[in-house]
Amino acid sequence: MFRSKRSTLVKRLWKSRILQNETSSTTETPEELELKSVAQSMLKRLKEKQLDVLVHSVESKGGETTECVLLPKGDIRLGRRNVAPQIMCCQLWRWPTLAQGAELKRLPCCVSANDPAYVCCNPYHWSLLLKTESPKPNLAWPAIQVPSTDRPPEMGESTETGMTPTSRRDLYTDGTNSCRGPQWCSIAYWELKQRVGRLLPVFDPAINIFQVLPHGDGMCLECLQQETDMESVKRTREKIGFGLILSKEEDGVWVYNHSHFPIFVNSPTLDIPNSRTLTVQKVLPSYSIKIFDYKQAQWIEDIRDPQFLDGPYDPSSIRISFAKGWGHNYSRMFITSCPCWIEVLLNVNR
């Protein structure tokens, strides 16, 4: 019975693999047979519970929060080449053309980063890393004071409402926040020019922001939305899906595109300093990008020239649009023309 269940789990995993050519015949090529043999040998190292976790992760396509699946560190021999186990798992169940030397980014749900002997091979604990050409200073980084108080600021502000304050008392009523860490940001959800719902204070290091996510917790946009006659908003809502993951890490704030459509990001640390050029970064599905660098933000603030500010400006505000871009490269010039978007108000220098 034990072997039967293991065999069933392995068969389900092999059946769930993503082929490079979806139209290929059902007859397995010698290369596929070799890959199957190596993959099954790799899966034999896993306990039944780990196989079950891997099956749930793969079949839900990351829609369910699952544990790490650990394999010993060290490359796996595949033909004439060696493949890292996490790379091989990502090739099997996420990105068939992923190169061996590809740089991956761990997601916040992966807790095995410091394990000296094992590496996580859950393919949905990894993302593709999107690197940007961010402006770099020509001088030493100044120190930045990140708020460390256990009591969050009394007011949250939105640049899109002309810096209109919103009282903290209105943000939550369940009384469960006293055990959490300090509030590091607030999130506002917008549809075109209309803010929908209240500001959400964020205390945990990472938060899911989604339309529909099986067994997920975080900021569910569907719960905030009301009936609308605007077709562009309706269509965009349908594209949000699993949404995104926002996380505060040691080197800054990161976003992971968890949906099946692009998201678009504008941040003070992605823009060119002292320029009226608005940089909107397109982030494809499965990619992670650092959208705010604390040290770089301090440098930009130190050299900022007020003559380049044409209106309300918040050096700690990030805007993320779902499915639709804006700016000089798109038909929409302003973020308020995007059907569905969020504003992330960081608690830096507030």
Side-chain angles (χ1 to χ4, degrees):
M1 186 68 181
F2 175 77
R3 289 186 176 182
S4 175
K5 184 174 181 180
R6 285 186 60 90
S7 177
T8 299
L9 292 173
V10 170
K11 287 181 179 178
R12 286 169 63 181
L13 284 169
W14 182 249
K15 186 178 180 181
S16 299
R17 76 192 189 283
I18 299 176
L19 301 174
Q20 291 190 36
N21 185 3
E22 297 292 346
T23 60
S24 61
S25 65
T26 55
T27 303
E28 293 178 320
T29 65
E31 292 79 11
E32 289 176 322
L33 289 172
E34 182 181 32
L35 175 62
K36 182 177 183 180
S37 175
V38 173
Q40 290 182 342
S41 175
M42 176 187 68
L43 294 175
K44 285 180 181 178
R45 304 183 192 179
L46 300 176
K47 296 180 180 179
E48 186 177 296
K49 181 180 179 181
Q50 290 180 300
L51 285 172
D52 197 46
V53 169
L54 191 56
V55 167
H56 277 82
S57 182
V58 169
E59 291 185 345
S60 70
K61 298 187 182 301
E64 294 189 20
T65 301
T66 51
E67 301 173 359
C68 291
V69 177
L70 301 180
L71 279 170
K73 289 185 176 179
D75 292 347
I76 298 172
R77 187 72 177 177
L78 180 59
R80 297 182 178 180
R81 59 192 177 95
N82 295 324
V83 183
Q86 72 272 25
I87 294 289
M88 184 173 180
C89 289
C90 287
Q91 289 173 337
L92 283 171
W93 294 296
R94 295 203 69 181
W95 310 295
T97 59
L98 183 68
Q100 164 65 3
E103 195 168 356
L104 299 176
K105 163 75 175 170
R106 288 180 187 269
L107 295 180
C109 58
C110 188
V111 297
S112 61
N114 297 322
D115 194 310
Y118 293 87
V119 62
C120 178
C121 294
N122 187 331
Y124 286 94
H125 279 200
W126 296 92
S127 66
L128 300 170
L129 181 62
L130 178 61
K131 293 185 177 180
T132 60
E133 294 296 329
S134 300
K136 296 294 188 294
N138 295 320
L139 62 159
W141 291 114
I144 181 171
Q145 299 298 322
V146 179
S148 59
T149 176
D150 290 335
R151 184 172 60 87
E154 290 298 324
M155 308 294 280
E157 297 176 340
S158 169
T159 57
E160 296 300 328
T161 56
M163 308 300 286
T164 301
T166 302
S167 171
R168 268 189 62 241
R169 293 193 302 271
D170 297 331
L171 301 182
Y172 50 82
T173 57
D174 58 3
T176 61
N177 293 292
S178 58
C179 297
R180 300 182 181 180
Q183 178 187 344
W184 62 273
C185 80
S186 298
I187 300 173
Y189 171 61
W190 294 77
E191 291 182 346
L192 300 172
K193 297 181 180 180
Q194 180 67 42
R195 200 180 82 187
V196 182
R198 300 172 178 176
L199 283 173
L200 174 72
V202 180
F203 301 86
D204 296 328
I207 181 172
N208 293 312
I209 303 171
F210 57 92
Q211 182 79 2
V212 178
L213 184 66
H215 309 293
D217 58 1
M219 186 176 187
C220 180
L221 302 182
E222 187 178 38
C223 296
L224 302 176
Q225 296 160 350
Q226 299 178 354
E227 291 292 330
T228 180
D229 295 328
M230 294 178 287
E231 290 300 323
S232 63
V233 172
K234 290 180 180 179
R235 290 193 298 269
T236 305
R237 286 177 178 178
E238 294 174 353
K239 295 178 179 180
I240 296 175
F242 292 173
L244 57 87
I245 299 175
L246 194 69
S247 63
K248 179 181 179 295
E249 303 181 23
E250 290 184 1
D251 60 342
V253 179
W254 287 77
V255 68
Y256 164 64
N257 185 358
H258 202 187
S259 74
H260 298 300
F261 294 88
I263 60 175
F264 298 84
V265 182
N266 170 252
S267 163
T269 60
L270 294 177
D271 279 336
I272 300 174
N274 291 331
S275 170
R276 290 187 172 91
T277 301
L278 180 71
T279 301
V280 177
Q281 183 69 51
K282 182 178 182 180
V283 184
L284 295 174
S286 302
Y287 275 85
S288 287
I289 179 177
K290 182 163 66 172
I291 56 176
F292 194 87
D293 187 300
Y294 288 109
K295 292 182 179 180
Q296 189 173 334
Q298 183 63 60
W299 169 71
I300 292 174
E301 185 69 13
D302 289 342
I303 67 168
R304 182 159 57 87
D305 190 336
Q307 69 172 323
F308 290 97
L309 301 181
D310 297 324
Y313 173 78
D314 188 339
S316 305
S317 176
I318 302 166
R319 296 171 179 82
I320 305 175
S321 174
F322 296 100
K324 303 296 181 181
W326 80 99
H328 294 91
N329 295 326
Y330 302 94
S331 60
R332 298 168 178 82
M333 288 301 298
F334 306 103
I335 183 70
T336 50
S337 298
C338 294
C340 303
W341 57 282
I342 61 171
E343 186 179 19
V344 183
L345 303 166
L346 301 175
N347 284 346
V348 179
N349 298 328
R350 292 190 180 276

